[in-house]
Amino acid sequence: MRQKPVSEAVEILGGLGILTKQKISKEHNVGAISYNSKKADSSTLFVCKGINFKDKYLVDAVESGVFCYVSEKEYEGVDCDFIIVSDIRLALAALAKWFYEYDENSPKIIGVTGTKGKSTVVYFIKNILTQAGIKCGYITTIDTFDGVKSEESVLTTPESLELYEILYRAKTNGCRVMVLEISSQAEKMHRIEGLQIEAGVFVNISDDHISPHEHQSFEEYLMYKGMITSRFRTAIINLDDEHSGDIITWAQKCPANRVLTYSVKNEDADYYASNITKDGFRSLFEAVTPDAKFNAMVQIPGEFNVANALAAIAVGELFGVSEKDMIAAVLKTQVSGRMNIFRKGKYIAVVDYAHNKHSLDSALNALKEYYPHRQIVLVFGCPGEKALQRRHDMAKVASKYVKYVYVTSEDPGRVDPKVVAEEITGYLDKYNTPSEIILDRKEAVREAVNRLAADEILIVAGKGSEHYQVVGGVTEYYESDTELAEKYIMEK
């Protein structure tokens, strides 16, 4: 990547109308952009962003040789050139897009947004396009693939600087398409500003992610989901979601004003799954599209995964993928951490990423359908600093299906995990559901498997294949629910 003159950065921010003041003593070449003082040097354009940003970070960056900073305010006593803007997050996205040369030659973007099921839809789409010979990268809550390298994800949608860097790598690696999970926080924080989104899927929305750190109300949450959908050149909407009407209204504002719908219940949808039947863990269905009818099979349990496959089929048709390739891709799609089933003899453990009331209800209901004669045992926890209503809602859902609950830690952050766990068990007591607290998540999974009876089934919900826990503001290594469940069930 070439060095870029800082004067171009000033010109771009001025063109956006967010430049308020500048001091550029001489022309410099920008060799890097960073908001991490530990990754700054003499070629770095340093961005002062984040609610936790401290003056010390800028001082450290300048001591490392940074020649210029971008901020919403001028810092007195800092001997350094500066660019002052009215919106630092918009500025960061614009600078990232400029620096990483996002243009018409970059991979086409497919976006997937919703409260639950986004990752699964991304994997279905990725497999369909790959089956058709279209080189494809992706970004999910689980992992990120730039066409060559796969790595575990930190955020559902990366910060704009990292996002545009990944897209640059994907272009360099020959990807024609990138499929992205797009969170409401990504829209709110301007992480996707400047992206051209060729097509996008709206999966669903529920009253999750409402907290002081996320969205102040469901109405705000819905608005940001709608704003995302209005960016899609072609919007593919789940007609079965109760708020699909609101989302369709937003989608009609999209650049091409092209809205398609899909459904497993409403045959008036553009894409409809009919004749859904179960064969073991698999679901067979007939995909009815505007152009064709064909039979397909999904290996991931649950009718909701038929819907997820159907959304991906709609994207496949937009890219001209053949029925044969779509059928093959849908059949082979498996998602780590999504309804993964481990068994030894009569003992069965299931791991699912279900982390809110709707996804947990879907997972537990699927288990009841597939294992009607087994009682369900559950391991789960809730985050310490976001989506505070999950503690009540997930306990209430658990009480409908579950024999016994092991309450454990799940990304407690700066909150005492015992406080979170005791709040959850308080709600479980209210709904007359027996439970106990085992704060160490690894120990909770181990104990649940060890005590599992042959006429029961265990589900570990929440973190899926994630290899981390956020504790005290620090990201710590964690083996993952999938690895632990498989290990302990094989040892049983």
Side-chain angles (χ1 to χ4, degrees):
M1 194 184 317
R2 66 182 177 87
Q3 301 270 315
K4 298 179 180 292
V6 70
S7 57
E8 286 187 9
V10 173
E11 183 179 349
I12 285 169
L13 297 175
L16 284 176
I18 60 175
L19 179 67
T20 62
K21 187 178 181 181
Q22 61 165 301
K23 186 190 85 169
I24 305 296
S25 57
K26 64 176 182 178
E27 183 66 277
H28 282 273
N29 283 331
V30 179
I33 300 174
S34 180
Y35 49 80
N36 184 343
S37 59
K38 296 178 181 178
K39 297 181 179 179
D41 59 28
S42 59
S43 69
T44 302
L45 181 61
F46 187 70
V47 181
C48 307
K49 73 104 186 155
I51 58 174
N52 296 316
F53 186 82
K54 299 177 182 177
D55 295 11
K56 181 182 183 301
Y57 300 154
L58 176 58
V59 173
D60 290 345
V62 172
E63 288 179 353
S64 297
V66 161
F67 70 90
C68 183
Y69 68 87
V70 185
S71 176
E72 290 182 353
K73 70 174 186 177
E74 182 181 347
Y75 287 86
E76 298 295 332
V78 177
D79 184 17
C80 186
D81 286 356
F82 57 77
I83 303 170
I84 309 303
V85 296
S86 57
D87 191 320
I88 194 63
R89 289 192 169 274
L90 276 177
L92 180 62
L95 292 171
K97 181 179 180 180
W98 159 73
F99 186 74
Y100 287 109
E101 301 174 342
Y102 177 81
D103 56 24
E104 67 276 2
N105 297 315
S106 298
K108 293 185 181 298
I109 304 297
I110 300 171
V112 180
T113 195
T115 302
K116 59 189 177 72
K118 297 188 295 296
S119 295
T120 303
V121 175
V122 169
Y123 288 118
F124 273 122
I125 294 171
K126 182 267 295 186
N127 285 346
I128 285 173
L129 297 180
T130 301
Q131 186 76 28
I134 300 171
K135 188 167 184 179
C136 181
Y138 59 87
I139 301 174
T140 73
T141 303
I142 301 168
D143 59 348
T144 296
F145 179 63
D146 65 6
V148 172
K149 181 182 178 183
S150 180
E151 56 190 10
E152 189 167 357
S153 300
V154 177
L155 296 171
T156 298
T157 312
E159 184 57 82
S160 57
L161 184 62
E162 286 72 30
L163 175 58
Y164 278 106
E165 181 186 7
I166 293 166
L167 294 177
Y168 177 83
R169 298 201 312 259
K171 177 170 67 172
T172 302
N173 294 335
C175 288
R176 290 171 53 193
V177 176
M178 283 292 288
V179 193
L180 314 180
E181 279 192 53
I182 303 178
S183 67
S184 55
Q185 286 294 300
E187 176 67 45
K188 186 176 182 178
M189 300 297 182
H190 299 301
R191 294 176 192 160
I192 59 171
E193 205 65 42
L195 283 184
Q196 300 296 313
I197 305 176
E198 190 71 18
V201 176
F202 168 79
V203 184
N204 51 51
I205 187 169
S206 58
D207 54 348
D208 198 25
H209 300 291
I210 313 301
S211 76
H213 301 285
E214 298 173 284
H215 297 290
Q216 298 302 310
S217 65
F218 177 77
E219 289 69 29
E220 180 189 292
Y221 184 35
L222 178 62
M223 178 186 72
Y224 281 111
K225 288 297 186 189
M227 290 170 68
I228 293 168
T229 312
S230 70
R231 294 179 182 271
F232 302 158
R233 288 191 59 79
T234 298
I236 301 165
I237 311 298
N238 180 6
L239 203 57
D240 297 334
D241 186 82
E242 64 177 309
H243 296 283
S244 61
D246 297 309
I247 297 298
I248 287 171
T249 299
W250 276 99
Q252 288 168 342
K253 302 175 185 178
C254 69
N257 190 23
R258 185 180 185 194
V259 180
L260 301 171
T261 58
Y262 69 96
S263 172
V264 297
K265 299 175 181 177
N266 188 337
E267 61 185 16
D268 292 330
D270 297 297
Y271 292 82
Y272 174 59
S274 67
N275 302 319
I276 301 172
T277 58
K278 295 181 177 63
D279 176 17
F281 300 125
R282 301 176 297 183
S283 296
L284 294 82
F285 66 99
E286 181 181 47
V288 182
T289 82
D291 302 316
K293 289 184 180 181
F294 56 90
N295 293 321
M297 181 183 293
V298 174
Q299 294 205 60
I300 314 172
E303 187 176 273
F304 54 95
N305 281 312
V306 173
N308 292 336
L310 194 62
I313 286 170
V315 173
E317 282 205 344
L318 292 178
F319 280 81
V321 179
S322 70
E323 295 171 20
K324 179 181 177 182
D325 284 339
M326 288 195 287
I327 292 167
V330 166
L331 177 60
K332 73 180 182 183
T333 298
Q334 296 274 2
V335 184
S336 179
R338 298 313 199 266
M339 294 301 285
N340 295 159
I341 299 168
F342 307 105
R343 67 188 307 160
K344 183 179 181 183
K346 296 180 179 180
Y347 301 103
I348 304 175
V350 178
V351 173
D352 191 76
Y353 189 66
H355 59 284
N356 60 42
K357 67 177 183 180
H358 292 282
S359 54
L360 184 63
D361 189 89
S362 295
L364 294 175
N365 185 59
L367 291 186
K368 274 295 183 187
E369 289 184 17
Y370 286 98
Y371 301 98
H373 303 301
R374 289 179 181 251
Q375 294 182 305
I376 299 175
V377 178
L378 170 66
V379 176
F380 87 100
C382 290
E385 298 179 292
K386 64 180 183 179
L388 306 184
Q389 79 279 6
R390 286 184 194 170
R391 303 172 193 180
H392 168 267
D393 293 348
M394 292 182 72
K396 185 176 181 180
V397 168
S399 70
K400 291 167 52 181
Y401 300 95
V402 173
K403 171 187 177 182
Y404 195 81
V405 180
Y406 297 87
V407 179
T408 190
S409 299
E410 181 180 320
D411 299 325
R414 295 177 178 83
V415 177
D416 183 348
K418 185 178 180 182
V419 171
V420 179
E422 287 179 344
E423 183 176 344
I424 295 169
T425 55
Y427 293 129
L428 290 168
D429 289 344
K430 175 183 175 183
Y431 293 112
N432 299 313
T433 304
S435 67
E436 68 179 274
I437 295 173
I438 303 178
L439 292 179
D440 184 312
R441 193 175 182 95
K442 179 178 180 178
E443 177 64 18
V445 176
R446 188 192 67 79
E447 186 65 18
V449 172
N450 284 349
R451 289 160 56 179
L452 185 67
D455 63 346
E456 298 172 337
I457 184 168
L458 170 67
I459 177 167
V460 184
K463 294 193 68 66
S465 59
E466 292 177 349
H467 283 90
Y468 66 88
Q469 282 260 51
V470 180
V471 181
V474 177
T475 300
E476 298 181 351
Y477 175 75
Y478 170 66
E479 283 184 75
S480 85
D481 292 348
T482 49
E483 290 184 13
L484 291 172
E486 182 176 22
K487 178 172 70 173
Y488 293 138
I489 205 75
M490 292 302 115
E491 293 174 354
K492 191 169 176 66

